[in-house]
Amino acid sequence: MAINQETYDFVLEILSREPSFNEGLSRLREQLPQIFDAVGEKTLKSIQAQYYVRRMRRSHHHHYSRETREKYYKLYKDAKSRNEKHVIVRLASKNDISPCLLARIILEEYYWNDVNHGRERETLDGRASLPPGFMTDCIRDISKLPNPELAREIYETTVLDNFYGPAVDSIKKTCGMEYEIILKAHCNQRGLSF
């Protein structure tokens, strides 16, 4: 069942205000319980995920600027020097960025500042560059990281981030494959070529 624009906007407003999807659902159950019968929880998750991804894309340039990246890394290092826990998750929440995206930024800064000691950081276009896929591999397999505390922080972000990271990517890929199989079966039943 489709929902009208006014209802969609109301749902999106509630889901976007809450810090987690589950808290958004609870608030939505209080204020608009009939929406669950109308569209279902999967649709609501999809609405929130699309909004979140759009918001991250709009603010990408800010979070990935050289100054902001260095600021995040300094805040991370300062907090770690005080033996604070859950630093990346707290910084992400405070700065309205996905925990996994912030983990990637901090990991890149760690490699440029602490592992490579700033050597050859700049390429011709002025942007930092590590081997393709290197950051993704490190985030997927934290055992590759030489810093156990940073590895623990990064693992925490992959568990808590509902919209980015390896777990979410696997879920999206699996759902996509499932719907391709369903679509293929429907096409075959109707004798359609594809």
Side-chain angles (χ1 to χ4, degrees):
M1 173 186 242
I3 59 175
N4 63 30
Q5 187 65 45
E6 184 180 338
T7 304
Y8 176 86
D9 292 341
F10 182 74
V11 166
L12 187 57
E13 180 186 341
I14 290 172
L15 292 176
S16 65
R17 279 192 310 220
E18 300 301 327
S20 76
F21 180 72
N22 290 331
E23 291 171 278
L25 279 185
S26 296
R27 180 79 50 187
L28 205 50
R29 281 189 206 283
E30 293 170 9
Q31 296 186 12
L32 194 65
Q34 66 274 19
I35 195 69
F36 289 89
D37 293 331
V39 296
E41 192 171 312
K42 283 185 177 181
T43 301
L44 296 172
K45 285 182 180 181
S46 178
I47 290 170
Q48 188 186 36
Q50 288 174 353
Y51 167 77
Y52 191 81
V53 169
R54 281 194 312 263
R55 198 175 82 214
M56 287 301 106
R57 284 183 181 151
R58 281 194 304 265
S59 63
H60 181 272
H61 66 280
H62 165 72
H63 295 298
Y64 277 82
S65 73
R66 178 79 178 260
E67 299 79 32
T68 306
R69 294 167 59 88
E70 289 172 353
K71 176 189 91 169
Y72 289 151
Y73 191 61
K74 182 179 182 332
L75 290 170
Y76 171 79
K77 295 266 295 194
D78 290 348
K80 282 305 184 182
S81 72
R82 295 186 299 273
N83 292 321
E84 293 180 23
K85 304 287 184 211
H86 319 294
V87 176
I88 296 176
V89 171
R90 283 188 290 109
L91 281 174
S93 177
K94 183 178 178 184
N95 291 284
D96 194 28
I97 183 174
S98 155
C100 279
L101 294 180
L102 183 57
R104 182 185 270 306
I105 289 170
I106 288 174
L107 182 59
E108 287 175 359
E109 290 300 311
Y110 166 75
Y111 271 98
W112 288 119
N113 292 294
D114 296 349
V115 175
N116 291 340
H117 305 292
R119 289 188 315 259
E120 300 178 30
R121 179 180 178 123
E122 299 298 329
T123 60
L124 292 176
D125 64 356
R127 297 182 62 195
S129 178
L130 289 167
F134 180 75
M135 288 294 113
T136 302
D137 287 344
C138 288
I139 290 172
R140 283 187 180 145
D141 183 3
I142 59 170
S143 67
K144 294 179 178 180
L145 298 176
N147 181 326
E149 188 58 33
L150 179 57
R152 191 172 12 264
E153 288 270 345
I154 288 174
Y155 176 74
E156 182 179 44
T157 67
T158 63
V159 170
L160 296 176
D161 196 325
N162 294 323
F163 302 105
Y164 287 95
V168 175
D169 288 342
S170 294
I171 291 168
K172 287 178 184 177
K173 184 176 181 179
T174 303
C175 287
M177 291 171 63
E178 177 185 354
Y179 281 101
E180 283 183 21
I181 291 168
I182 292 170
L183 184 58
K184 182 179 178 181
H186 282 294
C187 289
N188 284 334
Q189 284 176 349
R190 286 162 180 77
L192 301 172
S193 59
F194 55 92

